[in-house]
Amino acid sequence: MSFWTHERGLTSWLATRDHKRIGILYLATVLVFLLIGGIFALVLRLSLVTPNNALVDAHTYDKLFTQHGIVMVWLFMIPSIPSAFGNFLLPLMIGARDVAFPRLNLASYWIFVTGGIVVLVALIAGGVDTGWTFYTPYSTAAPTAVTWAVIGVFITGISSILTGLNFIATIHTMRVAGMRWRDLPLFVWNLYSTSIILVLATPVLGLALLLVGADHIWALGLFEPAQGGDPVLFQHLFWFYSHPAVYIMILPAMGVVAEVVSTFSHKRPAWYGAIVFASIGIALVGFLTWGHHMFVAGMSTFDSGLFGVLSMLVAIFSAIKVFAWTSTMYGGRITLATPLLYIFTFIFLFIFGGMSGVAVATTSLDVHWHDTYFIVAHFHFIMVGGTLTAFLAALHYWFPKLFGRMYSEAWAKVACAAVSVGFILTFTPQFLLGNAGMPRRYATYPPQYQWLHVLSTCGAVLLALGMLLTAGYLVVALVRGKRVDNPWRSASFEWRTSSPPPADNFVDAPQLRDTYAYEEVAS
Amino acid sequence: MNNETRRYHLAVWIVIASEALLFAGLFALYWSYRAEVPSLFASGITQDVHWIGALNTFLLLTSSFSIAWSILQTRNGRRRAATVSLVVTLALGAAFLVFKLLEWGMHARDGLVPGSSLFFTLYYLMTGLHALHVIAGMTLVTWVTLRRERDLALPLVALYWHFVDVVWVFLWPMFYLAKP
Ligand SMILES: [Cu+2]
C-alpha cells in the first residue's frame, strides 16, 4: 500500500507528518503560485507590445512587475525544488523513515502558506509598487500595501529557515547505518548547501524587511536621508540575502541536473568530489559577492573591484559543474527523454546566463548595463531559466516516483520544445534591448524598441502555451497514465523502493551504499 | 551522545546561528552609522541611564549562572534544587525586563523616542529585539521548569538562554560604555 492510500480523508493530508505528503502539498502550492506569477508576467509582456501602455496604465504596470517578482521569487523559486522535491526525496535518498523533525516540517508548510496568503492579500487588496527589491527611501514612504507585503515575505522566511534546519539535521543524523558523507547522492549535497544559505541568509532579509515595515508604519527614518539615514545601507542588507538567494534557487537545480544527467547517461557522475566541492564553494563564496548590485550606488572603486572579482569566482565553481555534467554524458548510453532535454536547455541557459553574469560583474561594463533590460535578461536566464528548467526536469523525472504513473513522452517533448524556445525567445531580445539602452521597469518606451519587445512577447506567449500543454498532459497522466515502477532504470536510492513509495518508505530495512551503481544495472 | 540528542543539539545550534545573523544585520547598521556620524553616538551614549545598564548586565550574567547551576543539580538528581534555580533564573529575567521598561519610560519622558535620532532608533530596535528574545527565553525556561523530564531539554534551553545573555554583553558597551 502506497503513501497515497495509506490513510484517507482531508485531515490525513492537512495534518500529515509524512515528508512525502508534505512534499506533495508543497508541490501543489508552488504550482499555484507559479500560475499566479506567470499570469502577472504575461499581462506585463502583452502590455509592452505597443510603446504606450497597450493593456494597463503605468501605475498598474508598476504594481504588476512588483507582484510578479515577489510571487516568483519568494513563493515559487525559493521553495520550489527544495521544499517540494527535497522534502519528498531527501529521506528516500538517505534511507530514512522521515526527516529529523516531522512536526516542524508540517509547521514549516503551514507557515509558508500563511505567508503566501498574507502576500497575496497585500498584493490584491492594495498592491505594491516598489519593485520586489523594496528599495528605500521610496518603499518606506510608498502609499501602497508595503507593510503587509514585507510581513508576508518575512513569514515565508521563517518557513525557509525551519526547512533548512530540518534538512541539515536530517542529513547529519538520519542517514542509514553505513552511509558515509561521500556516499550521499549529489542532490542531497546540493540540498545541504542550500540549507546552509537558507539558515544563515534568510534572517538578514527578514530583518531588512521588518525595518522597512517598521519605518513605513512609524516613520523612523532609519534609511531616510532627510533624517540622517543612508538608503544604501538597506541595499547592503537586502542583497546580503538576495544574492545568496540566487544560490538557494540554483543549487537544488544543480542537484537535479547531476541526478538526471547520471540516470539518463546510465553512468556514474564524473568528478563526484569536484561537484561536492563546487556546491559548498558556491554556498560560501556566494555570501561575499552582494556588493555587485551597488556598483553605481556610490561604492568605492576598491570595494567594487573586490566584489567584482569575488563574483567572478563563482563562475569557476559553476564551470567545474558544467564540465562535470558534460563529461558524465561523454561515453554514456544516453536516453533522450524529456528530463534530459530540459537539462540541455538548462545547460544552454546556464552557460549564457553565467557568462553574461561575468560580464556584468565587470565594474566598468556594469555602469552601462545597470538597471537596463540586460540585467533583466541576465538574471532571468540564469536564475529563472535555471530554476524553471530544472524544476520541470525534476517534475518529469520524478513524476513516476511520486505518482507511480507515466506521462506521455511525445507530448512532453513538444511542450519541452515550446518552453525552451519560448524562454530563449523571450529573453534574448531583452539582452539586445538593454544593451541599446532600454531601462527596466518602464511602462512605456520609444518606438525604435518596439520590434524587440514584440519578439519578446511572442516568446512569452509560446512559453505560456508550453506550460499549459505540460499541465494538460500531466493531469491526464495522473488519471490515465500507465502504471510504472522505475521507467528510467535508474540506480539511485529513491528508485530502490516502490513507486509510489509505501508510507514507511521502505518495506525491508534499506541497505544503501552506492547510489550510482550503473555497472550492475547494465549487466 | 545518541542520535536523538545530537539531532536536538544541532537544531538549537542552527537556531542560534540563524538568530546571530538576525542581530548581525542590526549590528552592521549600528557600526556603519557610528562610523558615519560618531558625534551622534557619543552624545547618545552619554544620555543613556548607566546604572540601569550596569544593573541589567549583572542580572543577566547572574541568571546565566543560575541556569547553569540548575543543570548541575539535575545531573546530580536534585530536582527540587534545580527547580529553585530555574525560578531564580526566571525572576532575574523578569527583573531585567522591568528595569528595561523603566529605562524606556525615562527616555520617552525626555522625548527620546524611536525616530528622534538614528542613535535612539537603533537603541530601541536593538534593545527591543533583545527584550523579545529574553521573553522567548523565559517562556522556554518556564516550559522546562514545568516538565517532568528535563535531562534532554534543560541543557538546550540553557544554551539558548546563554545566547540571549551573550547578545546583551555586546549591547551593553555599544549603548552605555564605549564612546566613539
Ligand atoms: Cu547578485
Side-chain angles (χ1 to χ4, degrees):
Chain A
M1 195 148 60
S2 82
F3 77 96
W4 286 98
T5 49
H6 176 69
E7 283 178 291
R8 289 180 189 277
L10 195 61
T11 43
S12 80
W13 279 90
L14 301 185
T16 182
R17 290 174 207 169
D18 181 350
H19 67 98
K20 299 182 289 302
R21 289 191 166 196
I22 292 173
I24 298 284
L25 289 174
Y26 265 115
L27 182 61
T29 314
V30 299
L31 284 173
V32 171
F33 289 132
L34 173 63
L35 178 69
I36 296 172
I39 290 172
F40 289 147
L42 207 58
V43 177
L44 286 173
R45 277 316 323 162
L46 290 174
S47 192
L48 286 165
V49 167
T50 67
N52 283 306
N53 307 324
L55 210 59
V56 294
D57 62 80
H59 194 228
T60 313
Y61 181 90
D62 293 346
K63 288 182 177 176
L64 279 172
F65 74 67
T66 304
Q67 291 161 192
H68 164 67
I70 293 175
V71 169
M72 285 301 206
V73 169
W74 284 298
L75 303 184
F76 174 66
M77 285 195 292
I78 296 274
S80 61
I81 299 176
S83 295
F85 293 105
N87 255 317
F88 194 99
L89 295 166
L90 173 58
L92 293 177
M93 284 182 161
I94 60 172
R97 164 70 190 83
D98 208 317
V99 291
F101 304 105
R103 259 197 307 181
L104 193 67
N105 203 16
L106 179 69
S108 169
Y109 171 74
W110 284 109
I111 293 170
F112 171 67
V113 172
T114 310
I117 290 172
V118 173
V119 169
L120 283 186
V121 169
L123 299 187
I124 293 161
V128 183
D129 61 350
T130 60
W132 75 279
T133 45
F134 294 110
Y135 268 19
T136 54
Y138 179 66
S139 61
T140 54
T144 45
V146 173
T147 308
W148 284 105
V150 296
I151 290 173
V153 174
F154 178 83
I155 296 173
T156 65
I158 298 173
S159 159
S160 290
I161 292 172
L162 296 181
T163 300
L165 184 159
N166 223 334
F167 284 1
I168 294 176
T170 306
I171 296 169
H172 271 273
T173 62
M174 304 287 286
R175 303 192 307 276
V176 70
M179 184 184 251
R180 299 159 302 182
W181 282 83
R182 71 185 109 129
D183 299 323
L184 289 180
L186 288 166
F187 184 64
V188 173
W189 270 112
N190 282 279
L191 284 180
Y192 189 74
S193 315
T194 293
S195 302
I196 292 174
I197 308 176
L198 281 173
V199 164
L200 294 182
T202 317
V204 180
L205 171 84
L207 173 79
L209 294 183
L210 280 190
L211 292 179
V212 166
D215 222 334
H216 198 263
I217 302 173
W218 294 300
L220 301 178
L222 202 52
F223 303 109
E224 172 61 52
Q227 288 171 256
D230 188 343
V232 179
L233 287 179
F234 170 79
Q235 297 185 19
H236 279 284
L237 289 180
F238 181 83
W239 289 112
F240 180 82
Y241 162 85
S242 293
H243 185 79
V246 173
Y247 305 122
I248 296 176
M249 305 170 201
I250 206 72
L251 280 166
M254 290 167 157
V256 173
V257 176
E259 297 295 330
V260 169
V261 161
S262 163
T263 292
F264 290 87
S265 308
H266 302 278
K267 198 167 154 235
R268 179 180 298 280
W271 310 355
Y272 175 92
I275 292 188
V276 170
F277 166 75
S279 302
I280 303 285
I282 288 174
L284 297 183
V285 175
F287 275 107
L288 306 172
T289 68
W290 79 91
H292 60 218
H293 296 271
M294 279 157 281
F295 288 161
V296 300
M299 187 181 272
S300 75
T301 322
F302 176 79
D303 289 356
S304 301
L306 192 63
F307 276 122
V309 170
L310 284 167
S311 305
M312 291 176 194
L313 207 58
V314 176
I316 298 177
F317 293 121
S318 306
I320 291 174
K321 292 204 163 199
V322 173
F323 286 123
W325 300 325
T326 39
S327 56
T328 304
M329 285 187 259
Y330 185 79
R333 291 187 301 107
I334 291 178
T335 311
L336 278 179
T338 311
L340 190 64
L341 296 179
Y342 271 116
I343 295 310
F344 290 162
T345 310
F346 175 97
I347 291 176
F348 175 85
L349 294 171
F350 191 70
I351 289 174
F352 282 90
M355 293 312 291
S356 63
V358 175
V360 293
T362 312
T363 48
S364 52
L365 296 174
D366 184 64
V367 175
H368 175 59
W369 287 320
H370 185 84
D371 262 350
T372 70
Y373 264 74
F374 193 91
I375 298 294
V376 176
H378 155 68
F379 74 72
H380 275 89
F381 252 56
I382 190 123
M383 175 175 109
V384 182
T387 310
L388 185 69
T389 49
F391 177 78
L392 289 168
L395 187 61
H396 287 84
Y397 173 43
W398 284 304
F399 190 88
K401 184 80 246 165
L402 268 55
F403 304 105
R405 290 179 186 270
M406 189 62 195
Y407 58 86
S408 153
E409 262 290 302
W411 282 113
K413 282 178 177 152
V414 175
C416 175
V419 168
S420 304
V421 174
F423 195 92
I424 293 164
L425 185 60
T426 308
F427 294 104
T428 308
Q430 296 190 13
F431 276 116
L432 303 175
L433 276 170
N435 197 40
M438 167 94 200
R440 67 194 282 200
R441 295 180 170 172
Y442 275 49
T444 57
Y445 53 85
Q448 71 262 30
Y449 294 134
Q450 190 175 10
W451 69 280
L452 285 168
H453 272 298
V454 170
L455 265 184
S456 177
T457 302
C458 290
V461 171
L462 185 59
L463 174 58
L465 290 176
M467 295 298 288
L468 269 182
L469 179 59
T470 307
Y473 66 75
L474 287 185
V475 168
V476 170
L478 278 182
V479 189
R480 291 207 317 224
K482 199 176 122 223
R483 290 194 183 272
V484 285
D485 192 56
N486 182 1
W488 316 118
R489 310 213 318 141
S490 174
S492 304
F493 291 155
E494 75 274 19
W495 294 99
R496 296 188 192 176
T497 183
S498 56
S499 306
D504 289 332
N505 287 353
F506 300 94
V507 177
D508 309 314
Q511 301 275 324
L512 304 176
R513 275 306 277 257
D514 186 358
T515 184
Y516 300 114
Y518 280 101
E519 297 79 6
E520 299 163 31
V521 170
S523 63
Chain B
M1 246 193 238
N2 66 20
N3 243 352
E4 198 192 355
T5 318
R6 264 181 68 211
R7 195 180 308 158
Y8 282 102
H9 272 266
L10 194 59
V12 173
W13 278 109
I14 292 170
V15 168
I16 288 175
S18 206
E19 298 248 45
L21 264 292
L22 183 71
F23 279 101
L26 279 170
F27 276 66
L29 269 186
Y30 172 96
W31 287 103
S32 305
Y33 279 136
R34 188 174 156 128
E36 278 183 29
V37 270
S39 59
L40 194 63
F41 284 71
S43 70
I45 288 174
T46 354
Q47 282 169 296
D48 269 332
V49 189
H50 291 88
W51 69 269
I52 293 188
L55 176 65
N56 267 349
T57 310
F58 172 76
L59 291 175
L60 275 197
L61 288 182
T62 314
S63 77
S64 251
F65 173 77
S66 66
I67 203 164
W69 186 255
S70 76
I71 298 182
L72 201 67
Q73 297 304 321
T74 306
R75 280 205 195 120
N76 293 339
R78 299 204 196 96
R79 188 181 164 85
R80 175 161 302 209
T83 307
V84 170
S85 212
L86 285 169
V87 172
V88 168
T89 308
L90 279 173
L92 290 166
F96 172 91
L97 288 176
V98 168
F99 281 108
K100 197 72 232 159
L101 272 174
L102 189 71
E103 192 185 9
W104 284 334
M106 289 160 80
H107 285 311
R109 251 199 330 258
D110 299 340
L112 302 170
V113 290
S116 61
S117 79
L118 277 178
F119 177 84
F120 275 97
T121 305
L122 283 168
Y123 164 80
Y124 279 103
L125 283 171
M126 294 177 81
T127 55
L129 186 66
H130 176 262
L132 284 179
H133 280 75
V134 173
I135 293 171
M138 285 173 64
T139 314
L140 290 171
V141 174
T142 312
W143 169 76
V144 82
T145 309
L146 299 174
R147 250 174 93 89
R148 182 173 304 276
E149 199 279 322
R150 288 177 186 162
D151 291 346
L152 175 62
L154 181 54
L156 296 172
V157 170
L159 194 57
Y160 187 79
W161 187 258
H162 292 320
F163 165 73
V164 175
D165 287 0
V166 167
V167 172
W168 179 259
V169 168
F170 284 94
L171 293 181
W172 186 41
M174 281 161 64
F175 286 107
Y176 298 88
L177 302 178
K179 280 188 228 160

